[in-house]
Structures are given as structure tokens and as C-alpha cells.
Amino acid sequence: MKNTTLSLQEKKQKNEKITMLTAYDYSTAKLMDSCGIDVLLVGDSLGMVMLGHDTTLPVTMDDMIHHAKAVARACETAMVVADMPFMSYQVSVPEAVANAGRLIKECGVAAVKLEGGADVCPQIEAIAKASIPVMAHLGLTPQSINALGGFKVQGKDRAQARRLIEDARAVERAGAFAVVLECVPAGLAALITELLRIPTVGIGAGKGCDGQVLVYQDMLSLYPGNSPKFVKRYADVGSVMRSAFQAYIEETRSGAFPGEEHGFKIDDGILRELRQGCGAESL
Ligand code: KIV
């Protein structure tokens, strides 16, 4: 059964944790889907982990559509959510609805995600009214990196914490079906989870959220450099890949690869004829 906004809501009610990972391509999404992941997020983090930008800001609608199509094709049971990139929803409400519609129509994803609280509630409301489920995103919102002054924990002081609670209530009222809480103190995220009827999905927000999300390159040690404190490295796939690439380079240079078992045969008689016809030396 495909996961839906309703099945996620049910999970919250039954106290079952929601599992979510980012995905950006067909093969990886297929693997994750076959493992039973509930939600795959085609995050605009693809700007950094797939395209090599320093931030998510340069990501375009075309980038999102290209990757979201591939992920949606792979999923049998996971619900696929696509991020709305920077400036695809901030400029105006009609533009936000039109761009959310493109992600649904052109990619086949089931929902969109956008960053922000009360400020983007008109957009959330209009997109939800167009029958497009919207996941909200609060706390550290990477598209606001310049305004926030860096990748920092959000909601630590009283005023910030109160604003986060208000924003969480506002996005729920506006019609969001779930909300990502990124880099928020665990106690505050647990309080927001208790206050909301919709599920919360945490990243760096402690175990009190209704679900968890990680960027898969971080959990598999595939992205160069230090990863944030909240990342647990489940496997060092980067090292496994590096060893395989090195072995391939060495074996190709030495002639050990390809072996006979990796090739295809042609009848000796045909080859002899071809050689004669081409004027090559006889075997
Ligand atoms: O873009 C992304 O990958 C995200 C997750 C970190 C939640 O928004």
C-alpha cells in the first residue's frame, strides 16, 4: 500500500514513527522503497549533495523536476515529496500554486514541501486548496541561510522558541499535512509535536518528533567534509566506493580487467574470414 497523508496521520495517532530519507535518483530511491521507507523527500539539498553548490539557493524548478521524476518512477510504496526551490513560492501566491502544480503534474510526486512559517501561510493555504498536500519546514530553513546568518540551532531563546510554536500552529491552521523541524532543541520539538495534530518529522530535533529524516549522503558518508552533529553515520559507503574505483583503475591499467568471463565470443571461422578480408595478419 502506498503511503499517503492519511497513513502518516494514522502513524502519529498510533505512536508509530515515520521514516523519511532524501532521494534524488532512480536506483537509490528503488533501494530505499524496497526497504519499506515511508516517505522519500526529493530535497533541494540536491543542490549541494548532487550538484556541488555551497547552498540550496541556486536550485531551479528544472533541477527539482528532473530529479523528482526519477524518484517518483522508482517508488511503489513510499510517498514522494518534492521540495519547492528558493524563489519558486516566495514571490507570489499564484506563482507558488503554479509551481507546486508543475511538481505534481510533471513528476508524479504526491506532495510538495516549502520552508517558512506564518510568512508563507497564504501560499500553504492556496496550494492545499488546489488539492496539493503541503509539508511545511521550520527551524533551520536553509533557503534563509543569509538571513539566519549561518547553519545554527533555532529556537534556543524564549522569543525564538515562542515564535517557532506560533509558526508551527500557523502552518497547521493553513493546511499543512506535516512539518519538518530542523535543528531545533529536542525539548522544544517534543513540545511542538505534542501541540500539533499533524505529524512532525525531525532532523536534528531529537527523538520526540513523530518521525525522522536524514540526507542519505550524510548517513552513508558519501558527502565530503564534516557532517552536522545530528547525523548518524550508518555505513561508510564512501570508503567502499573508493576501494572499488581504485581496484577498477588498477585492474584496467594492468589488463586484469576485463577477464574472459566478462566478454562475448564470436565463431573462430568468422573471425578468420574477417581478418583475411581486412588484410590483418592470419591467426
Ligand atoms: O532539502 C532537504 O534535504 C531537506 C531535509 C534536510 C529536510 O529539506
Side-chain angles (χ1 to χ4, degrees), residues 22 24 41-51 56 59 83 215:
T22 63
Y24 317 97
L41 169 68
V42 188
D44 61 352
S45 49
L46 71 81
M48 297 169 78
V49 296
M50 300 298 286
L51 304 179
T56 59
V59 175
D83 252 339
V215 171

Side-chain angles (χ1 to χ4, degrees), residues 111-263:
V112 299
K113 176 167 86 55
L114 53 80
E115 298 180 7
D119 289 349
V120 293
C121 280
Q123 282 87 333
I124 295 178
E125 209 173 319
I127 296 170
K129 273 201 180 129
S131 304
I132 299 172
V134 187
M135 183 179 269
H137 184 156
L138 297 172
L140 173 55
T141 44
Q143 290 178 17
S144 308
I145 192 69
N146 292 322
L148 295 174
F151 292 99
K152 294 184 200 146
V153 180
Q154 301 296 309
K156 274 178 109 169
D157 66 40
R158 202 171 276 114
Q160 267 193 359
R162 287 219 170 98
R163 198 169 327 119
L164 257 178
I165 293 171
E166 278 161 25
D167 278 338
R169 285 184 149 146
V171 297
E172 176 173 86
R173 270 197 310 275
F177 74 92
V179 55
V180 167
L181 298 176
E182 180 165 354
C183 267
V184 173
L188 176 60
L191 172 60
I192 292 173
T193 302
E194 192 186 318
L195 294 173
L196 296 190
R197 278 172 289 107
I198 58 172
T200 61
V201 182
I203 174 163
K207 53 170 73 205
C209 295
D210 296 306
Q212 296 294 324
V213 56
L214 281 178
V215 171
Y216 89 81
Q217 279 83 353
D218 288 339
M219 65 169 290
L220 299 182
S221 307
L222 280 170
Y223 189 61
N226 294 330
S227 50
K229 176 180 172 200
F230 58 74
V231 171
K232 177 167 176 181
R233 293 191 174 241
Y234 281 84
D236 191 356
V237 177
S239 295
V240 174
M241 287 175 78
R242 208 171 292 113
S243 306
F245 297 145
Q246 278 161 353
Y248 165 75
I249 292 166
E250 276 162 29
E251 290 194 1
T252 298
R253 284 185 180 149
S254 72
F257 175 80
E260 274 207 27
E261 68 278 24
H262 304 117

